[in-house]
Amino acid sequence: MISHLRESFRQYCKEWSEVDLGKFNIFILKNILRHIFRTESIIPILVVVLVVAVSIQAQRASYIFIPQSSITAYATFLILQLAISLLVIFIYPFLIILLFNYLGYRLPHIIPRIFLPTKVILLLTTFYLCLRFLSHGKLTPDFELMVVATWTSLYFFLMNLYLAQKHGRDVFKTGKFRLILIFIFIAFMIKPFSMILYHTSEIINYMEINPLVFIDNTQCKMLSRKINTSVSDSNLSISNPDLVEHTANGCYLYGNIIRLGFASDYVIIFKKNLQPVTESGRHYNYYTRLNCYSGNCFSEDNIRLDVSNDINAKIIEKKVWYEG
């Protein structure tokens, strides 16, 4: 099996180095995009992608807040969130690939003579420069790397489909080599896709990071319980005047919080510790989730997350998708 895959990859690389990029573009437009955007195709595709998006977000966040009194607004938000994510993960790379192929097609005396690794470098450079242009250079290096890897795997997959069609084989028949390409694409896609979902949540104010929030005394008490006796007050956010200001009627929260929600339905995720809490040689962050529905609130206290897998802490520090 391994020798067969190795030989398939060699043949794939050889044919790619000799491919007609103009015909490749025609294939993408006629056989891929036209097929995807047909009504009978796009609806089930969108349903599947929506389910995948929600499941990815659920796995990454460990918590999804669905406002009970604003289902219509939440549904609209999900559609917008999904549309922006698909734009970055799928639509942008298709446009860039078409442009890259067109330029290669318009330089027929140069591109075919370029060594294949050089073509790959040119492709990666094109993806990277376009991503920098679209993001205004604000993305973190690891996020840029994941997006470029996702787009590149999509290019390899499309090339595989084109070569199959060129040899008269069924374009949509799934073989072993194609399954590997699909798996690579999905593996690279998961993190950028989930991060774009988070970023979309922030820019349309469904998710607010470290906003100034006032809560009453009852809600403030829900956030004030100690983690455990081993954690000193100096390591508690609730005791830090830069993060929490106590008043006679309640308290103002200035930091270490994520707020999700619409109107009167919202959740406040409050990071209780300033520095990671060490337990049995491992480092943890503790959270309280204050859930409020139409003015009625309840809390889930002392939720412990391993620092290495704590996406909430990265969001609070704004180190997930962009620099600054």
Side-chain angles (χ1 to χ4, degrees):
M1 176 180 174
I2 295 178
S3 60
H4 173 71
L5 290 174
R6 187 187 302 116
E7 185 60 32
S8 298
F9 183 73
R10 286 177 180 173
Q11 182 66 21
Y12 170 82
C13 292
K14 180 179 182 297
E15 294 188 23
W16 182 19
S17 65
E18 302 169 353
V19 76
D20 185 322
L21 296 179
K23 292 182 179 179
F24 184 28
N25 264 0
I26 294 173
F27 168 79
I28 293 175
L29 292 170
K30 288 188 175 181
N31 296 74
I32 303 298
L33 294 180
R34 190 173 67 176
H35 178 79
I36 289 176
F37 288 106
R38 286 189 303 185
T39 304
E40 63 270 23
S41 299
I42 195 169
I43 292 177
I45 289 174
L46 288 177
V47 171
V48 170
V49 172
L50 180 60
V51 172
V52 171
V54 173
S55 63
I56 288 175
Q57 195 168 16
Q59 294 300 318
R60 292 286 297 173
S62 72
Y63 182 77
I64 290 182
F65 175 73
I66 301 178
Q68 298 179 1
S69 62
S70 307
I71 298 299
T72 303
Y74 184 69
T76 304
F77 155 74
L78 275 182
I79 293 172
L80 178 61
Q81 187 185 41
L82 179 62
I84 294 175
S85 301
L86 290 177
L87 182 68
V88 175
I89 297 297
F90 295 103
I91 306 303
Y92 283 164
F94 268 108
L95 295 176
I96 296 169
I97 288 169
L98 290 172
L99 176 62
F100 179 82
N101 289 341
Y102 175 76
L103 293 176
Y105 172 71
R106 300 300 295 178
L107 299 172
H109 302 296
I110 300 176
I111 294 298
R113 299 178 183 177
I114 296 179
F115 190 47
L116 182 58
T118 307
K119 290 182 181 179
V120 175
I121 293 174
L122 288 174
L123 176 66
L124 294 175
T125 303
T126 302
F127 280 148
Y128 176 73
L129 292 177
C130 289
L131 180 61
R132 294 281 294 182
F133 173 77
L134 293 171
S135 65
H136 306 289
K138 293 183 178 180
L139 298 178
T140 57
D142 61 329
F143 188 80
E144 290 178 337
L145 178 63
M146 292 300 296
V147 173
V148 170
T150 303
W151 290 356
T152 304
S153 62
L154 177 63
Y155 189 92
F156 273 73
F157 180 68
L158 292 173
M159 180 63 72
N160 179 264
L161 296 180
Y162 171 67
L163 294 178
Q165 188 251 11
K166 182 180 176 182
H167 290 285
R169 297 193 296 267
D170 186 356
V171 173
F172 298 104
K173 182 180 179 180
T174 305
K176 295 177 182 177
F177 183 62
R178 195 169 296 170
L179 278 175
I180 292 176
L181 291 177
I182 293 173
F183 176 78
I184 292 173
F185 174 74
I186 294 175
F188 283 136
M189 180 199 73
I190 289 177
K191 184 175 181 179
F193 193 67
S194 61
M195 293 303 99
I196 293 167
L197 293 176
Y198 279 117
H199 187 39
T200 308
S201 300
E202 183 188 8
I203 62 179
I204 65 175
N205 284 338
Y206 171 73
M207 178 176 71
E208 298 172 288
I209 303 170
N210 292 330
L212 172 59
V213 176
F214 177 79
I215 57 177
D216 61 31
N217 281 320
T218 301
Q219 297 169 358
C220 195
K221 288 179 181 178
M222 292 181 181
L223 303 182
S224 301
R225 291 182 58 194
K226 293 199 64 172
I227 297 174
N228 55 54
T229 55
S230 65
V231 181
S232 64
D233 290 344
S234 61
N235 194 27
L236 296 177
S237 299
I238 199 71
S239 302
N240 190 316
D242 294 330
L243 299 176
V244 180
E245 179 184 347
H246 297 271
T247 68
N249 299 319
C251 54
Y252 289 94
L253 306 179
Y254 297 119
N256 266 10
I257 61 172
I258 302 171
R259 185 188 184 278
L260 304 167
F262 293 103
S264 59
D265 290 353
Y266 62 89
V267 60
I268 293 175
I269 302 174
F270 180 65
K271 183 169 175 281
K272 301 184 69 171
N273 54 285
L274 299 174
Q275 301 297 327
V277 177
T278 303
E279 297 176 356
S280 302
R282 303 189 67 176
H283 303 294
Y284 298 96
N285 289 322
Y286 280 83
Y287 292 87
T288 294
R289 280 200 294 258
L290 183 65
N291 306 277
C292 296
Y293 297 92
S294 301
N296 299 312
C297 300
F298 65 93
S299 68
E300 301 168 76
D301 197 26
N302 285 343
I303 300 168
R304 188 177 72 168
L305 298 179
D306 191 294
V307 169
S308 61
N309 296 317
D310 186 3
I311 189 68
N312 290 332
K314 294 180 181 179
I315 291 175
I316 289 172
E317 297 170 5
K318 292 194 174 183
K319 293 182 179 179
V320 178
W321 46 78
Y322 60 87
E323 296 177 322

